[in-house]
Amino acid sequence: MDLEKQPEPEKQPQPQRPVAPATTSPAEPAPADPRGSLRASDADRDRIADILRDALAEGRIDAEEHSDRIDAVYRAKTVGELEPIVRDLPGARTTRDTAPEAVAYGPDDAEGPADNLVAIFSSTTRKGRWRVSRRTNAFALFGNIEIDLTESIFAQRLTTINATSIFGNVEVRVPENISLRGSGTGIFGNFEVVTLEGVDPQAPVVVINGYSVFGNVEARPKRGKWITDLQGKLKKNLGH
């Protein structure tokens, strides 16, 4: 008698191991450029406009291209948008070339004497390498005073210049990597301070106060002048 064949048990499917998703390292974000993303100031736009003006005068660009680039200058919101406009022209700077160095200061002599510059029917000039006092008083009566800070040594962060011009002229020039501010009045005259904000938050600050009567008081950055070794100059000046 043949034995009845028993059905073979069905093979249960083996559970599949879940496949671990491939791990991908997230792409590291590109480092931000603090200088390029900085909001452009009026002084930044004026500097670019000066480069374009010189390029037009030298025949490097024509009038139509100059007009197009000027429009782009005053539409730009950040410094990073300004730089490409003049990248192919002489005088353009890159962020690496113009990054100011760290600034160090000596003890702030709040009680130190003020410098007094007077021009009465005459002319007075202060320029070159000199240590700027905390306060400077400039008085011009039918005269001319020129104060050039582009090679000077700032031993304190805040420098105040009190300028008075009566039928005279007071001109102040500062390097481009400091902050320049002012407050004053022109009475039948001109009081003009081209404000400037230094990229370095510790950069020197120069404040121009005063007034002009039938005269002129003017303060603005001097194009192409930068304090690049302020700390070294300070140490040398203090004898350290």
Side-chain angles (χ1 to χ4, degrees), residues 125-143:
T125 302
R126 177 65 65 88
K127 62 182 180 180
R129 184 170 298 183
W130 56 290
R131 180 171 176 171
V132 182
S133 297
R134 178 181 174 85
R135 290 175 293 115
T136 298
N137 300 319
F139 177 77
L141 175 63
F142 290 99

Side-chain angles (χ1 to χ4, degrees), residues 2-15:
D2 295 334
L3 297 176
E4 185 178 355
K5 294 184 179 180
Q6 299 295 328
E8 295 182 358
E10 295 181 0
K11 294 183 180 180
Q12 298 296 327
Q14 298 294 328

Side-chain angles (χ1 to χ4, degrees), residues 36-165:
S37 59
L38 185 72
R39 299 285 292 190
S41 67
D42 289 341
D44 292 326
R45 295 186 181 91
D46 289 343
R47 179 174 63 85
I48 300 299
D50 286 344
I51 296 174
L52 292 174
R53 180 197 61 200
D54 292 345
L56 176 63
E58 295 168 359
R60 298 180 187 275
I61 58 176
D62 57 27
E64 182 178 357
E65 187 175 1
H66 175 266
S67 177
D68 292 341
R69 295 198 189 195
I70 285 292
D71 288 342
V73 167
Y74 291 101
R75 287 197 309 266
K77 300 297 184 183
T78 66
V79 175
E81 295 174 10
L82 287 174
E83 291 176 351
I85 298 174
V86 294
R87 186 170 293 164
D88 58 341
L89 298 175
R93 301 187 187 92
T94 62
T95 301
R96 296 177 186 174
D97 297 335
T98 60
E101 298 183 3
V103 178
Y105 301 100
D108 193 355
D109 186 7
E111 303 299 327
D115 273 350
N116 295 306
L117 302 176
V118 179
I120 300 176
F121 290 96
S122 63
S123 177
T124 299
T125 302
R126 177 65 65 88
K127 62 182 180 180
R129 184 170 298 183
W130 56 290
R131 180 171 176 171
V132 182
S133 297
R134 178 181 174 85
R135 290 175 293 115
T136 298
N137 300 319
F139 177 77
L141 175 63
F142 290 99
N144 182 71
I145 295 177
E146 179 185 356
I147 303 174
D148 190 337
L149 303 176
T150 56
E151 297 181 14
S152 58
I153 300 171
F154 292 84
Q156 65 283 325
R157 182 163 187 261
L158 176 62
T159 298
T160 302
I161 298 177
N162 301 312
T164 302
S165 173

